[in-house]
């Protein structure tokens, strides 16, 4: 997780130690690396905790020896040398307790980038230097008890803040831990346990019941139910049989399976997800840049206000001690601590939570912009519908050619296609136990179908649009249901028959469209399918409108049209033929990419093709943005109130904030921001 370039948080203080929360250095898919990462950060948390307790113990005698506290409780415990004991104890607090802040101050000066550590370091040094001068002869009252309580509260604030940061990054750690560290490699003579990161493509691994799958691959033998919920958000275990794909990190049910590995651990789906989450957590969004700017300004305001406050009080006749105290309090209150955390904590939490729910954020700005969406364009097949075309009828239009021959010739062409229609035809061929002939000179007719030479005949499988374009007449008795998609078979350019396929509407689609309506978001169906099918699906689901028989390159134009009418458009597609449209849309959402998450043009990838996930994404985008704005308000709001009080605006009414009270306010603001970020949830 990345914090500001401008404002250091406590996770960045010890630059020289290998403790910065940089997930990019970890070896994905290897647990020890993550353990080391966690260990480093834990060591820093423990260091702050230890410093806090040492300062806490020393603060009691410091307070009891302080003249002001004694005066306040009505005692006089001064004795010879008491001021030197006070000086000695306070020096330990300043150098030991204040060390992380002093070091951070030096680092910021070196980097010519003054920020929060600069402010804290400056404030405690002024307080300490002035108090030491009092002990050695300057007249006035020392600041030692304020110094001790200030450092104590600062250490507590940083300790709590770091625990929050660790919490926000925990989800990423959990993703890393999904990958088992060992796998059972199947050798010709035995099963051998090997480290997961040594597995290569085409290795065969055994996954026993209850174990995690160690690598992406295809089941070679056996069948089982696999729980992929941590990876895809799909709560029900999925049945997997021979030939099915499995994802690394999925938990095996009660069957034993052998898996042929499709790529090494570092290229696995899970590793890519971890890398994506990591990069998204580090990527700066518009809100982050706004927070950076605000924090930078707050640093400048702190220094100017602090010095201005000091000069005002000192030059209007107040004591040096009073003027110093006001300056220290103003500077402490202004520390843009909470502001430095406001957005990064929400970013870390939201990105990791999304990944757990099957929403992979590649572009933070696209995710934040999802709250502005006014229109969603849905690709039909596989998103609103199941995407499994099943052959509903085969009709021959030529004597001497039966239904089996129609589907046999069509299957030769579809063997090379991954389109859902092809899958449906091949499934039917398998059921009928028909042998598929080979095809040569295969050629795809963009958006219209495919053609090839099969058994020395030119065979084409085409859409109704192709027939229209080539003025091929459709027979009078041709009938197709509104929900059916029809492809025609041409043999040597003659219409020979047709195959009708239908695709079921997903049970979740209607609910998703209804939720969008409730949120005043229009839903539009965009499909290459015929108008009747599109109209039927659109009507059943209660969508706002539809666009049918749209070729891939035309999808881009349709999106542009909507944008020119002032709509903020999200496009959902499968990332292949929809790539241009996904790129031009305000928010591109690639759906159903399964284990291939390299849908380069989309800002967001949905692991499942579930339309409810699209709705969840928008609602979660809105919730995340609300959290960021709430945090920015908390982080800056207290400054607006506390800064004038610290500067002494209401001094004439007897209202004045002490440095310790300023530090308490600053810490409370930071803690509120951290807790608020941790309350973020994905509604499902």
């Amino acid at each position: 997780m990345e914090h500001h370039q401008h404002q250091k948080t406590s996770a960045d203080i010890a630059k020289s130690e290998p403790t910065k929360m940089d997930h990019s250095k970890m070896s994905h898919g290897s647990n020890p690396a993550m353990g080391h990462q966690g260990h480093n950060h834990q060591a820093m948390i423990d260091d702050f905790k230890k410093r806090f307790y040492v300062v806490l113990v020393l603060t009691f005698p410091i307070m009891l020896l302080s003249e002001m506290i004694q005066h306040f409780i009505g005692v006089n415990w001064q004795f010879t040398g008491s001021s030197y004991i006070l000086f000695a104890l306070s020096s330990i607090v300043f150098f030991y307790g204040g060390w992380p802040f002093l070091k951070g101050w030096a680092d910021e000066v070196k980097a010519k980038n003054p920020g929060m550590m600069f402010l804290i370091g400056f404030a405690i040094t002024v307080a300490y230097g002035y108090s030491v001068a009092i002990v050695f002869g300057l007249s006035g009252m020392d600041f030692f008890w304020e110094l001790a309580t200030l450092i104590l509260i600062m250490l507590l604030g940083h300790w709590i803040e770091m625990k929050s940061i660790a919490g926000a990054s925990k989800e990423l750690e959990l993703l890393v831990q999904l990958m088992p560290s060992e796998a059972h490699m199947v050798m010709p003579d035995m099963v051998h346990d090997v480290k997961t990161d040594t597995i290569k493509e085409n290795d065969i691994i055994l996954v026993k019941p209850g174990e995690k799958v160690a690598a992406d691959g295809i089941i070679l033998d056996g069948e089982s139910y696999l729980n992929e919920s941590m990876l895809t958000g799909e709560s029900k275990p999925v049945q997997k049989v021979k030939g099915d794909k499995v994802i690394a990190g999925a938990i095996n049910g009660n069957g034993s399976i052998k898996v042929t590995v499709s790529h090494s651990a570092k290229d696995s789906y899970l590793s890519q997800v971890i890398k994506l989450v990591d990069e998204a957590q580090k990527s700066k969004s518009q809100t982050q840049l706004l927070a950076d700017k605000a924090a930078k300004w707050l640093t400048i305001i702190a220094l100017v206000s602090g010095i201005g406050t000091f000069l005002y009080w000192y030059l209007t006749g107040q004591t040096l001690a009073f003027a110093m105290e006001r300056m220290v309090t103003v500077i402490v209150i202004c520390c843009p601590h909470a502001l430095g955390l406001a957005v990064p904590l929400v970013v870390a939490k939201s990105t990791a939570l999304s990944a757990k729910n099957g929403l992979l954020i590649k572009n933070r700005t696209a995710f934040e912009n999802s709250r502005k969406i006014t229109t969603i364009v849905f690709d039909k097949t596989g998103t609103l519908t199941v995407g499994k075309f099943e052959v509903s009828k085969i009709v021959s239009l030529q004597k001497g050619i039966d239904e089996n021959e129609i589907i046999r010739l069509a299957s030769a062409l579809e063997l090379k296609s991954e389109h859902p229609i092809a899958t449906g035809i091949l499934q039917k061929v398998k059921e009928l136990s028909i042998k598929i002939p080979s095809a040569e000179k295969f050629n795809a007719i963009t958006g219209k179908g495919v053609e090839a030479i099969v058994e020395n005949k030119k065979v084409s499988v085409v859409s109704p649009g192709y027939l229209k374009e080539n003025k091929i007449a459709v027979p009078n008795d041709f009938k197709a249901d509104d929900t059916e998609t029809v492809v025609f078979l041409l043999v040597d350019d003659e219409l020979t028959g047709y195959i009708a396929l239908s695709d079921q509407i997903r049970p979740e689609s209607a609910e998703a469209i209804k939720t969008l309506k409730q949120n005043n978001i229009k839903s539009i169906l965009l499909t290459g399918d015929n108008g009747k099918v599109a109209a039927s699906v659109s009507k059943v689901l209660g969508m706002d409108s539809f666009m049918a028989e749209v070729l891939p390159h035309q999808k881009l134009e349709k999106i542009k049209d909507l944008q020119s009418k002032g709509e903020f458009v999200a496009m959902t597609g499968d990332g292949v033929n929809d790539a241009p449209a996904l790129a031009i849309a305000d928010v591109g959402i690639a759906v159903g990419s399964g284990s291939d998450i390299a849908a380069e043009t989309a800002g967001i990838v949905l692991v499942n093709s579930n339309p409810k996930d699209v709705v969840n994404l928008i609602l979660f985008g809105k919730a995340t943005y609300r959290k960021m704005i709430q945090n920015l308000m908390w982080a800056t709001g207290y400054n607006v109130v506390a800064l004038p009080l610290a500067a002494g605006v209401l001094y004439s009414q007897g209202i004045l904030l002490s440095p310790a009270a300023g530090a308490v306010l600053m810490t409370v603001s930071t803690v509120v921001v951290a807790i608020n970020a941790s309350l973020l949830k994905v509604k499902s």
Side-chain angles (χ1 to χ4, degrees):
M1 154 174 172
E2 180 196 66
H3 300 301
H4 285 201
Q5 290 162 344
H6 302 325
Q7 302 309 123
K8 283 197 180 72
T9 65
S10 52
D12 303 314
I13 298 162
K15 261 276 168 68
S16 58
E17 300 162 37
T19 46
K20 196 166 179 208
M21 296 190 63
D22 181 4
H23 292 296
S24 62
K25 289 187 178 66
M26 74 193 181
S27 142
H28 298 308
S30 124
N31 285 348
M34 193 70 213
H36 176 66
Q37 172 70 34
H39 171 75
N40 273 338
H41 192 61
Q42 191 55 46
M44 269 190 89
I45 293 174
D46 292 343
D47 179 56
F48 270 90
K49 186 176 168 183
K50 193 166 76 185
R51 288 179 198 269
F52 169 76
Y53 281 120
V54 168
V55 173
L56 180 65
V57 168
L58 294 175
T59 300
F60 286 109
I62 288 171
M63 289 183 80
L64 292 174
L65 288 171
S66 285
E67 202 180 322
M68 188 187 277
I69 300 293
Q70 288 179 22
H71 180 73
F72 184 68
I73 55 176
V75 294
N76 184 5
W77 291 334
Q78 298 294 323
F79 53 88
T80 312
S82 66
S83 62
Y84 295 110
I85 294 171
L86 187 59
F87 161 67
L89 294 174
S90 302
S91 295
I92 297 170
V93 167
F94 175 69
F95 288 107
Y96 178 72
W99 174 247
F101 310 116
L102 296 170
K103 191 177 178 309
W105 180 18
D107 286 342
E108 289 187 351
V109 168
K110 216 180 291 171
K112 297 191 177 106
N113 193 8
M116 195 174 64
M117 291 299 143
F118 183 98
L119 296 181
I120 300 173
F122 180 63
I124 61 175
T125 304
V126 167
Y128 178 72
Y130 175 74
S131 302
V132 170
I134 300 287
V135 171
F136 292 102
L138 188 74
S139 63
M141 204 175 268
D142 65 64
F143 260 24
F144 285 133
W145 78 270
E146 277 109 329
L147 174 75
T149 50
L150 179 56
I151 290 175
L152 182 73
I153 292 159
M154 286 291 180
L155 287 168
L156 177 66
H158 277 68
W159 174 23
I160 292 169
E161 171 200 321
M162 292 178 72
K163 285 185 83 165
S164 302
I165 292 166
S169 294
K170 205 164 273 163
E171 273 94 354
L172 183 59
E173 266 179 57
L174 288 173
L175 281 173
V176 175
Q177 285 161 12
L178 279 179
M179 187 74 93
S181 53
E182 289 197 332
H184 313 302
M185 173 97 80
V186 179
M187 305 287 197
D189 51 344
M190 61 181 280
V191 175
H192 186 59
D193 284 355
V194 297
K195 287 262 175 274
T196 300
D197 43 19
T198 62
I199 296 172
K200 300 184 301 298
E201 190 180 344
N202 296 327
D203 281 348
I204 294 169
I205 57 170
L206 174 69
V207 186
K208 295 175 186 174
E211 287 185 339
K212 285 176 184 167
V213 178
D216 291 358
I218 290 164
I219 296 180
L220 178 70
D221 190 26
E223 60 178 80
S224 185
Y225 278 87
L226 266 68
N227 181 349
E228 299 176 341
S229 61
M230 237 330 236
L231 300 152
T232 64
E234 173 59 65
S235 53
K236 294 195 293 280
V238 186
Q239 186 179 17
K240 299 280 182 177
V241 296
K242 187 178 173 178
D244 283 348
K245 281 185 188 171
V246 292
I247 307 176
I251 301 164
N252 188 16
N254 52 12
S256 189
I257 52 174
K258 279 184 186 169
V259 175
T260 305
V261 176
S262 46
H263 37 229
S264 61
K266 71 176 191 318
D267 297 322
S268 75
Y269 169 73
L270 182 60
S271 295
Q272 289 187 54
V273 171
I274 291 164
K275 207 152 73 193
L276 255 182
V277 172
D278 187 34
E279 282 165 10
Q281 284 188 355
K282 285 186 190 148
S283 71
K284 296 263 177 148
S285 65
Q286 299 308 311
T287 322
Q288 173 73 63
L289 296 171
L290 175 76
D292 283 355
K293 213 173 272 179
K296 196 73 182 162
W297 273 105
L298 206 52
T299 304
I300 296 162
I301 290 166
L303 288 169
V304 172
S305 309
I307 293 161
T309 301
F310 171 78
L311 292 172
Y312 173 79
W313 288 114
Y314 189 60
L315 297 174
T316 53
Q318 286 290 347
T319 61
L320 179 64
F322 182 85
M324 294 281 263
E325 186 190 66
R326 290 303 94 220
M327 176 172 77
V328 168
T329 312
V330 165
I331 284 174
V332 167
I333 279 199
C334 257
C335 285
H337 218 211
L339 204 55
L341 278 180
V343 175
L345 276 181
V346 178
V347 164
K349 183 84 178 164
S350 67
T351 314
L353 269 181
S354 302
K356 277 174 138 183
N357 285 274
L359 318 172
L360 304 179
I361 297 165
K362 293 175 67 186
N363 179 327
R364 290 285 331 163
T365 307
F367 174 58
E368 276 181 34
N369 281 343
S370 63
R371 69 195 162 82
K372 300 182 197 166
I373 293 168
T374 58
T375 298
I376 295 197
V377 175
F378 284 98
D379 184 39
K380 177 178 73 77
T381 309
T383 308
L384 294 172
T385 60
V386 178
K388 271 193 182 164
F389 275 98
E390 288 178 1
V391 173
S392 48
K393 59 164 99 78
I394 307 164
V395 178
S396 168
L397 298 171
Q398 267 196 19
K399 280 185 182 152
I401 294 183
D402 65 3
E403 283 80 4
N404 284 13
E405 181 64 2
I406 300 273
I407 198 139
R408 185 181 82 89
L409 291 172
S411 67
L413 275 66
E414 301 296 0
L415 197 56
K416 300 199 174 176
S417 170
E418 285 175 10
H419 194 281
I421 288 177
T423 315
I425 290 173
L426 295 174
Q427 183 61 40
K428 190 69 177 171
V429 166
K430 202 170 162 189
E431 282 169 27
L432 297 169
S433 307
I434 292 171
K435 192 170 181 295
I436 300 173
S438 60
E440 290 157 15
K441 297 184 182 170
F442 181 85
N443 175 39
I445 315 162
T446 311
K448 306 270 173 61
V450 284
E451 59 186 16
I453 303 295
V454 181
E455 296 168 348
N456 298 323
K457 293 191 278 265
K458 182 188 171 192
V459 177
S460 318
V461 176
V462 297
S463 67
Y466 179 89
L467 295 190
K468 232 186 264 172
E469 218 170 83
N470 290 278
K471 299 187 173 57
I472 298 171
V474 179
N476 300 330
D477 59 350
F478 167 71
K479 274 194 186 74
D481 191 299
D482 281 356
T483 57
E484 283 179 329
T485 296
V486 178
V487 288
F488 292 91
L489 181 80
L490 303 179
V491 177
D492 291 332
D493 294 328
E494 268 193 49
L495 187 56
T496 310
Y498 62 88
I499 301 165
L501 301 99
S502 55
D503 180 11
Q504 278 179 307
I505 292 175
R506 278 177 175 271
E508 311 92 352
S509 298
E511 198 187 324
I513 302 298
K514 192 173 150 195
T515 312
L516 288 175
K517 268 208 163 70
Q518 286 163 357
N519 285 274
N520 298 319
I521 296 166
K522 293 194 211 64
S523 53
I524 295 176
L525 179 64
L526 183 66
T527 178
D529 217 332
N530 69 64
K532 279 184 177 175
V533 173
S536 169
V537 171
S538 172
K539 191 176 167 193
V540 168
L541 293 176
M543 298 177 80
D544 291 281
S545 63
F546 65 89
M547 302 172 194
E549 295 178 37
V550 181
L551 296 177
H553 67 274
Q554 294 171 331
K555 288 185 177 180
L556 174 99
E557 298 305 322
K558 300 286 184 193
I559 301 289
K560 278 186 178 169
D561 284 351
L562 288 167
Q563 287 170 327
S564 67
K565 290 171 188 155
E567 299 288 347
F568 198 87
V569 184
M571 164 76 189
T572 64
D574 59 13
V576 186
N577 62 356
D578 298 320
L582 286 171
I584 198 80
D586 297 296
V587 179
I589 305 167
V591 291
S593 300
S595 63
D596 172 27
I597 58 164
E600 289 301 324
T601 47
I604 298 156
V605 180
L606 300 187
V607 179
N608 294 318
S609 308
N610 191 337
K612 257 178 81 179
D613 287 350
V614 179
V615 179
N616 287 347
L617 169 80
I618 295 169
L619 299 181
F620 187 51
K622 286 184 175 180
T624 301
Y625 186 75
R626 270 200 307 275
K627 277 272 175 272
M628 286 179 179
I629 297 302
Q630 283 165 12
N631 271 2
L632 289 177
M633 284 167 75
W634 269 111
T636 49
Y638 93 103
N639 278 310
V640 174
V641 176
L643 199 137
L645 294 179
V649 169
L650 296 179
Y651 176 56
S652 56
Q653 272 86 35
I655 298 171
L656 210 55
L657 277 179
S658 70
V664 167
L665 276 175
M666 195 209 80
T667 301
V668 166
S669 163
T670 307
V671 172
V672 166
V673 159
I675 292 169
N676 191 37
S678 71
L679 294 174
L680 186 66
K681 297 226 174 1
V682 177
K683 288 190 184 117
S684 54

